[in-house]
Amino acid sequence: MKNNDLLSEGNKVEFERDLNQFIRKLIDWKTDSSLVHRADDLNTTISTDALPLGGQSLDDSIEELVGSLDRNINFSSKKFMGFPDCGNSLAGLAGAVAEVFLQQNLINKDICSPMGTEVEADVLNWLRELIGYAVNNKLTDVSQLGGAVTTGGVMSNTYALMAAARKYPDKKIVILPNNIGHYSLSYATEWLNLDVKVVYCKTKQYRLDQVELKRLLHFYGESVLFVGVYACDSMTSTCEDLEGVYHVVKEVENDIWLHADACHGFALSFSDAYRSKVTYLRHYDSCTMDPHKVMWLPYTLSVVLMKNADDFGTLSRTNALIMDDPLSFGKTTPFIGSKPYDSLKLWMVMKTLGVHEIGEMVEARISNDDLFYAILNSDINFYVGNDDILFSVIFQYVPDKDAEIEQINEVNRSIYRKMLSDGEYYFHGFDIMVNGSKRFVLRYNSGNIDVTEKELRAAVNYIKKLGKEIAHE
């Protein structure tokens, strides 16, 4: 093949052979749990390559990429324990590959994505039904779906805030949880320049303090536009008391937009054992979900849904040039022009596994978290900062029973930095208030349900080894 060849009948056999070899190497990398990434010196600068004035062969480009695979973060490694986004679903990976080859642009149904539009409509309706929103199965306009597939949680939360501001244009106060807040909700308020004021409500055990929430609602009165909660929060995966917050808000003022960031927690809806924790989502005006975080999908795929499809319809626009069509998603996705076929990955997973099997996998994730929690709780070298366990365990290595919190924090910061440079394991690390004290914690998240007890114990021993080395330097 020549460098400038396009895929054709004449070169398809040779390309298939080369592509199959490349995919085998990618699969080998993705299933290799010897490390998370190549050891790195954590340089503070990026050095860019020179502009390639003359090209190289496709084989050379592939080899260059293969040779640097271990410089990428392997989310599917069983030693990557800090995030839920493992991206190792067979159905999800197959959907991602198909998306590339199908090359559908969901901005416009008839000329760009006749089947893709139907697939995305399926996914949105399935998720609506899953959390208890009303479903419209005969659509004459895509805005009737009351939701959209977006690029990520920031975009999904932005859509919810936009719809709220359109419904209540004279209200300016946005109330969000303090301490556990994810950046996506606060970023939405900043980037949109909606002239709103964000007020952070105190939290207790990683949930809104309902007494303080009621006080803020009375203090700001009719100015309150939006109250946002987390189900589950991204730091500790604590699920908000959705019913309690709903009643606190509605007892004070009915015309307030209630939003649930359920980017993690919506997955509980698949589980018979845990669904009750999120059944009150059906009463919230909007809900956001990140299937790429909790359904083993490769990046990216996020969703926003609104209880009242008419509220979502206020975001719709038309353009005669390419999407003057009521069944084209281009009219319902602000800030997104050409629209990828990301929903195919989720469609493949839900079609292949179904609700019940996905629910069992969600429960397996929670079982792994319970096991990790039990391992740490039985070891005097660890402090655990949350006890309502779903998807996450936040913890600290404790070098000495008499160590001060700041000393413990600094040891754990050093553990985190060393872990990043080693590349062998990964636990997330961040500052959070725990029982009134600011702590730098590490976080386990059970994204990969193939991780066994043996591997969890090995990871704990790795943290202890680093902790002992650092504490005695």
Side-chain angles (χ1 to χ4, degrees):
M1 293 184 294
K2 292 186 289 188
N3 290 11
N4 60 357
D5 275 355
L6 303 177
L7 182 60
S8 67
E9 188 70 27
N11 61 23
K12 69 177 185 179
V13 173
E14 188 178 359
F15 182 67
E16 179 184 1
R17 182 201 64 209
D18 291 349
L19 190 59
N20 281 338
Q21 291 174 354
F22 185 31
I23 289 174
R24 276 195 293 273
K25 290 175 181 177
L26 289 169
I27 291 172
D28 286 344
W29 170 76
K30 203 161 180 67
T31 55
D32 180 2
S33 289
S34 61
L35 44 72
V36 171
H37 63 84
R38 185 193 305 175
D40 188 352
D41 291 334
L42 302 181
N43 294 327
T44 57
T45 59
I46 295 174
S47 297
T48 62
D49 285 346
L51 175 68
L53 300 178
Q56 62 186 18
S57 72
L58 177 58
D59 286 344
D60 287 342
S61 294
I62 288 174
E63 282 307 308
E64 187 174 333
L65 184 55
V66 168
S68 61
L69 283 177
D70 61 359
R71 292 195 61 210
N72 297 277
I73 304 297
N74 187 352
F75 284 69
S76 296
S77 167
K78 290 193 281 186
K79 292 184 174 181
F80 186 83
M81 298 185 176
F83 283 4
D85 328 7
C86 49
N88 55 1
S89 159
L90 297 180
L93 288 166
V97 171
E99 178 190 348
V100 171
F101 275 87
L102 291 173
Q103 193 192 345
Q104 303 295 285
N105 183 354
L106 270 64
I107 192 172
N108 184 283
K109 173 182 177 293
D110 290 339
I111 62 171
C112 296
S113 60
M115 180 183 172
T117 298
E118 293 177 13
V119 164
E120 191 147 312
D122 278 346
V123 164
L124 290 169
N125 264 345
W126 293 344
L127 293 176
R128 290 186 71 86
E129 184 175 350
L130 188 72
I131 66 166
Y133 282 173
V135 172
N136 184 345
N137 290 310
K138 294 292 182 184
L139 305 168
T140 57
D141 191 299
V142 288
S143 65
Q144 294 166 345
L145 285 163
V149 172
T150 76
T151 57
V154 172
M155 187 72 81
S156 292
N157 284 321
T158 296
Y159 283 12
L161 187 59
M162 287 175 64
R166 288 178 185 275
K167 188 164 188 174
Y168 304 117
D170 297 325
K171 296 171 177 273
K172 300 298 179 185
I173 301 298
V174 173
I175 298 177
L176 302 177
N178 195 21
N179 192 37
I180 58 170
H182 190 266
Y183 59 83
S184 60
L185 274 173
S186 59
Y187 279 11
T189 64
E190 295 168 14
W191 288 341
L192 279 176
N193 193 24
L194 290 175
D195 191 29
V196 298
K197 176 183 178 182
V198 178
V199 175
Y200 290 98
C201 180
K202 287 191 300 187
T203 52
K204 230 188 203 175
Q205 295 300 310
Y206 316 116
R207 296 183 179 90
L208 280 178
D209 181 331
Q210 292 183 23
V211 173
E212 175 67 3
L213 175 61
K214 186 178 289 189
R215 186 191 73 78
L216 291 173
L217 290 168
H218 280 296
F219 181 80
Y220 289 104
E222 294 182 357
S223 297
V224 178
L225 162 68
F226 183 102
V227 175
V229 301
Y230 295 97
C232 307
D233 83 89
S234 66
M235 290 179 162
T236 71
S237 79
T238 303
C239 196
E240 182 59 80
D241 174 8
L242 296 172
E243 181 176 2
V245 169
Y246 176 87
H247 288 298
V248 166
V249 172
K250 294 304 177 182
E251 283 169 11
V252 175
E253 171 66 62
N254 194 54
D255 291 337
I256 293 175
W257 189 283
L258 258 175
H259 172 71
D261 181 326
C263 287
H264 292 257
F266 85 94
L268 299 173
S269 298
F270 288 96
S271 163
D272 292 337
Y274 293 96
R275 185 176 298 118
S276 61
K277 288 185 174 290
V278 291
T279 51
Y280 238 73
L281 285 175
R282 69 183 187 272
H283 295 293
Y284 279 61
D285 295 292
S286 54
C287 174
T288 49
M289 311 170 174
D290 273 4
H292 66 216
K293 284 192 173 75
V294 289
M295 294 185 71
W296 307 277
L297 301 175
Y299 281 127
T300 63
L301 177 65
S302 183
V303 172
V304 58
L305 299 177
M306 297 180 194
K307 181 173 68 172
N308 184 341
D310 289 342
D311 288 334
F312 180 75
T314 65
L315 304 181
S316 294
R317 291 292 180 268
T318 59
N319 183 295
L321 180 61
I322 55 173
M323 55 188 174
D324 193 9
D325 172 9
L327 294 179
S328 288
F329 280 115
K331 65 178 290 185
T332 59
T333 48
F335 314 120
I336 299 175
S338 296
K339 189 173 187 309
Y341 193 7
D342 291 331
S343 51
L344 181 59
K345 295 174 290 195
L346 181 56
W347 186 90
M348 286 285 285
V349 168
M350 294 185 74
K351 270 283 188 179
T352 304
L353 300 178
V355 169
H356 300 303
E357 196 164 350
I358 294 171
E360 291 170 2
M361 292 173 74
V362 169
E363 290 163 16
R365 284 191 61 191
I366 297 171
S367 294
N368 263 14
D369 269 286
D370 286 337
L371 177 56
F372 190 77
Y373 176 80
I375 292 170
L376 293 186
N377 256 355
S378 65
D379 192 319
I380 61 171
N381 284 121
F382 289 97
Y383 169 83
V384 182
N386 62 322
D387 55 14
D388 189 0
I389 304 302
L390 285 169
F391 301 137
S392 299
V393 180
I394 61 171
F395 64 96
Q396 290 185 304
Y397 172 78
V398 180
D400 184 304
K401 64 182 177 62
D402 297 320
E404 299 288 335
I405 287 178
E406 248 334 296
Q407 179 189 354
I408 296 171
N409 287 345
E410 192 48 47
V411 167
N412 282 271
R413 286 190 186 96
S414 296
I415 289 172
Y416 184 69
R417 288 192 292 268
K418 184 67 167 67
M419 186 170 47
L420 284 179
S421 62
D422 281 356
E424 186 177 355
Y425 281 91
Y426 182 75
F427 292 90
H428 199 20
F430 49 80
D431 289 304
I432 188 172
M433 295 296 292
V434 182
N435 297 323
S437 299
K438 186 177 182 180
R439 292 180 179 266
F440 182 87
V441 298
L442 303 173
R443 182 190 67 187
Y444 168 70
N445 196 303
S446 57
N448 194 335
I449 58 176
D450 285 341
V451 174
T452 65
E453 180 176 355
K454 179 181 177 182
E455 288 154 341
L456 291 177
R457 291 188 181 277
V460 169
N461 288 335
Y462 169 79
I463 295 295
K464 287 173 72 171
K465 174 178 173 291
L466 291 187
K468 286 177 182 176
E469 291 172 357
I470 289 164
H472 293 97
E473 283 179 351

